[in-house]
């Protein structure tokens, strides 16, 4: 189990670094959006590239941040089940969801998005907007994001199995989001 937990630490570390990049993308998108609006209203100058880079940054935020959200155990769940479970119940339900739903869905999305990325890259596809950007960097975020969520899901499965075996300490409680 120790080599598997070492794998988990590597996946956690990589996704933490990608989450830092996602957080930076939020800040960059906000600054670009504000700057673009200011320039557009002050000098009546605009560029589709500045609008598109905001979309790329948003895609970066979502696709590179998703695995870290899973790592932090802050993803969306159905509270009706978790509020009724005690002891190892939430961990077992997590395992069920990870194995039966998340892993298969990520594999399908990865399999579907990879050919789209390759086609976009090889064709040199560019946005149809005047001054638009090449599309492959944004499209690359799809298979990359799905792959990282898949790897994080594998790491979470390993951690939960180790927890159930008493070989890994983790905070297994689920706190309902404050609303």
């Amino acid at each position: 189990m120790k080599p598997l937990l070492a794998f988990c630490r590597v996946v956690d570390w990589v996704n933490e670094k990608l989450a830092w990049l996602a957080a930076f993308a939020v800040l960059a998108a906000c600054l670009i959006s504000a700057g673009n609006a200011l320039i557009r209203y002050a000098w009546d100058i605009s560029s589709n590239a500045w609008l598109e880079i905001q979309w790329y940054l948003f895609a970066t935020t979502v696709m590179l941040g998703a695995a870290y959200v899973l790592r932090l155990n802050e993803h969306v769940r159905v509270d009706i089940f978790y509020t009724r479970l005690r002891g190892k119940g939430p961990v077992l339900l997590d395992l069920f969801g990870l194995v039966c739903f998340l892993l298969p869905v990520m594999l399908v999305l990865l399999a579907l998005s990879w050919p789209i990325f390759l086609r976009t890259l090889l064709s040199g596809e560019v946005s149809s907007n005047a001054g638009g950007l090449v599309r492959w960097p944004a499209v690359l975020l799809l298979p990359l994001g799905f792959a990282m969520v898949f790897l994080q899901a594998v790491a979470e499965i390993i951690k939960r199995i180790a927890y159930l075996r008493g070989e890994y300490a983790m905070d297994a409680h689920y706190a309902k989001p404050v609303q």
Side-chain angles (χ1 to χ4, degrees):
M1 189 57 80
K2 287 183 181 182
L4 293 174
L5 289 171
F7 165 79
C8 294
R9 285 190 295 278
V10 169
V11 171
D12 288 350
W13 181 84
V14 169
N15 280 321
E16 186 175 326
K17 298 307 175 199
L18 291 175
W20 180 87
L21 185 60
F24 175 77
V26 171
L27 176 62
C30 291
L31 293 174
I32 289 170
S33 177
N36 192 34
L38 178 68
I39 290 168
R40 188 172 60 244
Y41 289 114
W43 292 285
D44 199 28
I45 300 171
S46 185
S47 166
N48 286 327
W50 287 110
L51 295 173
E52 288 184 13
I53 196 69
Q54 292 172 59
W55 301 338
Y56 287 25
L57 291 168
F58 179 70
T60 301
T61 301
V62 172
M63 296 309 295
L64 298 186
Y68 190 65
V69 171
L70 179 61
R71 176 181 176 247
L72 295 178
N73 206 23
E74 294 291 329
H75 50 86
V76 175
R77 1 175 96 93
V78 182
D79 291 340
I80 192 169
F81 297 122
Y82 275 86
T83 56
R84 292 187 167 99
L85 296 174
R86 300 287 178 257
K88 295 180 179 180
V91 175
L92 292 169
L93 186 57
D94 279 345
L95 275 172
F96 174 76
L98 290 165
V99 171
C100 295
F101 295 105
L102 188 59
L103 286 181
V105 168
M106 288 301 107
L107 278 177
V108 167
L109 291 173
L110 182 57
L112 292 173
S113 63
W114 184 252
I116 295 170
F117 161 68
L118 286 177
R119 185 188 71 227
T120 305
L121 176 67
L122 296 174
S123 71
E125 184 177 337
V126 177
S127 170
S128 61
N129 295 324
L133 303 175
V134 294
R135 294 246 170 126
W136 73 263
V139 179
L140 172 62
L141 292 168
L142 293 169
L144 178 61
F146 296 139
M148 295 316 299
V149 170
F150 180 85
L151 289 175
Q152 190 65 51
V154 170
E156 295 305 315
I157 289 167
I158 293 167
K159 288 187 259 184
R160 280 163 177 76
I161 291 171
Y163 171 79
L164 291 171
R165 293 174 55 171
E167 298 176 29
Y168 181 77
M170 66 181 255
D171 185 6
H173 85 284
Y174 169 67
K176 288 173 43 174
V178 179
Q179 296 177 359

